[in-house]
Amino acid sequence: MLTKAQRLKDLIDKVVYDLLNNVLCYFDFKHRCKKQKIKMIRHIVRLRRYEHRYVQPAFTFSALQFLSFTKTALPQIHLTLHTSQLSMTESLNKEDVMESLSAIQITERGNRRVGNQCLLKLTSGAELHQSLTLKGVNQCSHISCVTSDRVWVSDYSNIMLTDTTGVPLHRVEDLWMCLFRGLHTVNSESELIYIDRKRNINKLSKDMKRTTTFKETTYSTWEPECVYWSPSTGDLLVGTRNYDTETGKVTRYNQSGQLTQTIQNDNTGRGLYGEPRYITENNNGDVVVSHIYKDYNSGAVVVTERGGRHRFSYTGHPSGSGLRPRGICTDALSHILVCDRWTKTVQMINKDGQFLSHLLTKPQEMGAPWSLSYDVNTHRIWVGLPNNNKVCVYRYITRQDALTDEHRPRPEGDPLTPPHNTTHQLNKNEHRPRPDEEAMSSSTPAV
């Protein structure tokens, strides 16, 4: 593809060269533009014919997908040519052309980045990358990644910042004293946002020297249970619970702390949530909530669109078999991962609620998984346990193999016709669902 891109660049350079040199000669500029347009259309047709004939349908990263990806991912450059200054007559003078070319404006929009969904794939199973014992916490109720080697971990009453050695780096001791909730999150400035003992939502500065109140909780029947900072919008999502009616809702606040949205009911007016415990957001903007009902023995993963419309509720595998969800997160491939207390597994579902696999099934190094956090830089998950201070890091996503094309001399006349020995190599997704190895005993007490 790099070689083909170079040929396309050379073609564009030739067009630019002809424009700058031949437009001042004896030929019609308008006719030249039409001729170049026809040439580019023919070029695109050959590209499509090449795609149809030589790229196997099983490949997930085709030539046309690559061209489409570069069109959407790379900065859009808008050229504005003030044609009013260019007289389209038989005679053109050099000064008019140079003045028009100098008036071209280039505007770059957005950041240049590569879409991870085109480069990543699942491995054949989760692989243990690291296991560490934390010093300073009794349990791992919730985890928030700051960097690839620093995370915040909370237990019953405090949050501790630690590195990959498990040594405490900083501690916040005014956390709301309640286990197994997503009581904290980290924003793009590496600031910690958490729910304190007074049920206020506080923000700790990056240097950990200043604590400010993002939202003060006055006396109300609605109290915050979990928080999540949205990387895509910069908003703060808060799961709250009404202790009188034992129902829940999700509220959205902008960066100024103003309430901008409330998600509470489905399209029939029925409540979506019991008690929100953990909350996150998927790549498509869906709001994903792990909640339990008032009997504390069952729950669901409820997914709504960014606008608030209910999409689906996941209640276990198979559907309706029962779920006691705890920690949740989403990954770069838009999968939803959820800890299930019933089966002591981490279950993986796709963005539309379809079960894919048991990613972790009570591995020996862990026991029952409870809290999750996804590292967007290394594509690993941090998994915490409810009954001790042990955290395990797993790898289950890797980069795809590059599409290779060994070029040979081509027949003259068609630059896109590949030789017979051209090879394309791209590994397929080798991931297979793993069976549920062990179900949790029904005698396990509810938390």
Side-chain angles (χ1 to χ4, degrees):
M1 296 308 298
L2 290 176
T3 305
K4 294 181 177 63
Q6 183 61 42
R7 293 206 306 273
L8 184 59
K9 178 181 180 300
D10 294 341
L11 178 61
I12 295 175
D13 290 342
K14 184 177 183 301
V15 173
V16 174
Y17 178 84
D18 290 343
L19 175 64
L20 294 178
N21 291 274
N22 298 333
V23 74
L24 303 177
C25 300
Y26 310 104
F27 104 111
D28 189 297
F29 179 76
K30 185 175 181 180
H31 174 73
R32 177 72 175 177
C33 291
K34 289 182 178 179
K35 185 178 179 180
Q36 293 296 337
K37 179 179 179 181
I38 294 173
K39 183 181 295 186
M40 292 305 297
I41 291 175
R42 290 175 178 173
H43 183 70
I44 292 175
V45 170
R46 287 197 297 271
L47 269 177
R48 290 175 176 170
R49 185 170 66 250
Y50 173 85
E51 151 75 11
H52 179 72
R53 293 174 59 185
Y54 297 105
V55 179
Q56 299 181 17
F59 290 166
T60 58
F61 192 65
S62 65
L64 288 183
Q65 285 176 318
F66 171 77
L67 294 175
S68 175
F69 157 72
T70 56
K71 180 179 179 181
T72 57
L74 297 181
Q76 297 181 4
I77 300 178
H78 300 270
L79 301 180
T80 303
L81 178 62
H82 296 273
T83 55
S84 59
Q85 301 177 14
L86 182 62
S87 177
M88 300 299 293
T89 61
E90 295 182 359
S91 61
L92 299 175
N93 60 67
K94 183 176 181 180
E95 288 75 15
D96 289 342
V97 174
M98 295 306 297
E99 182 179 357
S100 298
L101 292 176
S102 65
I104 294 178
Q105 299 176 356
I106 301 178
T107 303
E108 181 176 328
R109 298 182 179 179
N111 296 325
R112 182 170 181 169
R113 61 179 182 176
V114 177
N116 284 332
Q117 67 276 10
C118 296
L119 303 177
L120 303 175
K121 68 172 184 178
L122 294 174
T123 63
S124 57
E127 174 188 355
L128 179 65
H129 172 73
Q130 184 181 11
S131 176
L132 61 152
T133 301
L134 307 182
K135 303 174 184 178
V137 292
N138 298 320
Q139 297 146 317
C140 298
S141 176
H142 184 50
I143 306 173
S144 294
C145 285
V146 183
T147 61
S148 297
D149 57 356
R150 288 194 174 191
V151 294
W152 288 98
V153 180
S154 60
D155 58 12
Y156 186 76
S157 59
N158 68 93
I159 322 172
M160 183 189 72
L161 178 66
T162 183
D163 57 15
T164 52
T165 65
V167 176
L169 303 176
H170 191 78
R171 188 184 305 276
V172 176
E173 298 181 345
D174 64 334
L175 182 70
W176 177 39
M177 301 177 65
C178 196
L179 275 174
F180 312 126
R181 287 167 174 79
L183 298 178
H184 50 88
T185 184
V186 176
N187 64 15
S188 60
E189 306 298 326
S190 298
E191 298 172 321
L192 176 69
I193 301 174
Y194 67 96
I195 303 174
D196 68 8
R197 293 179 182 177
K198 296 181 179 180
R199 310 300 288 274
N200 298 324
I201 300 178
N202 293 340
K203 181 189 295 184
L204 178 65
S205 62
K206 182 178 180 180
D207 58 10
M208 291 169 283
K209 295 181 179 179
R210 302 182 311 277
T211 300
T212 57
T213 300
F214 178 82
K215 181 183 179 300
E216 183 177 1
T217 301
T218 58
Y219 177 78
S220 172
T221 55
W222 292 97
E223 296 185 351
E225 298 277 324
C226 51
V227 292
Y228 177 78
W229 178 81
S230 168
S232 60
T233 64
D235 297 337
L236 184 70
L237 300 172
V238 183
T240 62
R241 180 191 181 193
N242 186 322
Y243 280 82
D244 293 338
T245 61
E246 295 185 332
T247 58
K249 65 180 179 181
V250 172
T251 53
R252 182 188 295 270
Y253 297 89
N254 60 21
Q255 299 182 34
S256 301
Q258 298 176 334
L259 177 65
T260 59
Q261 184 186 27
T262 298
I263 305 174
Q264 186 173 1
N265 302 318
D266 60 16
N267 55 0
T268 65
R270 187 176 181 178
L272 290 172
Y273 315 106
E275 180 179 334
R277 288 291 185 92
Y278 296 87
I279 185 171
T280 188
E281 185 182 59
N282 214 338
N283 297 328
N284 59 0
D286 285 352
V287 178
V288 185
V289 177
S290 165
H291 85 106
I292 60 174
Y293 298 110
K294 59 183 179 180
D295 59 6
Y296 292 97
N297 288 321
S298 61
V301 174
V302 178
V303 177
T304 59
E305 292 179 344
R306 178 174 294 174
R309 186 182 70 87
H310 179 228
R311 291 196 61 220
F312 65 87
S313 293
Y314 175 75
T315 57
H317 175 71
S319 180
S321 60
L323 187 74
R324 290 183 67 185
R326 294 300 183 258
I328 56 171
C329 67
T330 60
D331 61 27
L333 299 176
S334 299
H335 299 133
I336 300 173
L337 309 182
V338 55
C339 294
D340 179 27
R341 182 170 171 78
W342 280 128
T343 59
K344 298 182 180 179
T345 62
V346 174
Q347 300 183 19
M348 177 190 293
I349 61 177
N350 65 14
K351 64 181 180 180
D352 298 317
Q354 180 183 3
F355 175 83
L356 299 178
S357 71
H358 289 101
L359 184 63
L360 297 174
T361 55
K362 194 183 177 182
Q364 293 180 355
E365 65 271 7
M366 283 201 57
W370 200 280
S371 54
L372 295 174
S373 185
Y374 180 78
D375 182 1
V376 297
N377 298 312
T378 62
H379 308 293
R380 300 168 184 156
I381 54 169
W382 294 64
V383 186
L385 306 182
N387 299 322
N388 56 46
N389 56 347
K390 193 173 184 180
V391 171
C392 294
V393 183
Y394 290 89
R395 180 192 293 111
Y396 70 102
I397 290 179
T398 186
R399 288 185 175 273
Q400 294 190 52
D401 295 334
L403 182 66
T404 60
D405 191 355
E406 299 178 1
H407 294 281
R408 296 292 183 269
R410 299 175 179 81
E412 186 176 359
D414 188 356
L416 292 179
T417 303
H420 294 293
N421 60 351
T422 298
T423 59
H424 298 273
Q425 182 178 4
L426 180 65
N427 289 350
K428 292 184 178 181
N429 190 331
E430 300 176 351
H431 179 73
R432 294 292 185 272
R434 297 168 57 186
D436 186 0
E437 297 177 353
E438 182 177 354
M440 183 175 183
S441 172
S442 60
S443 60
T444 303
V447 176

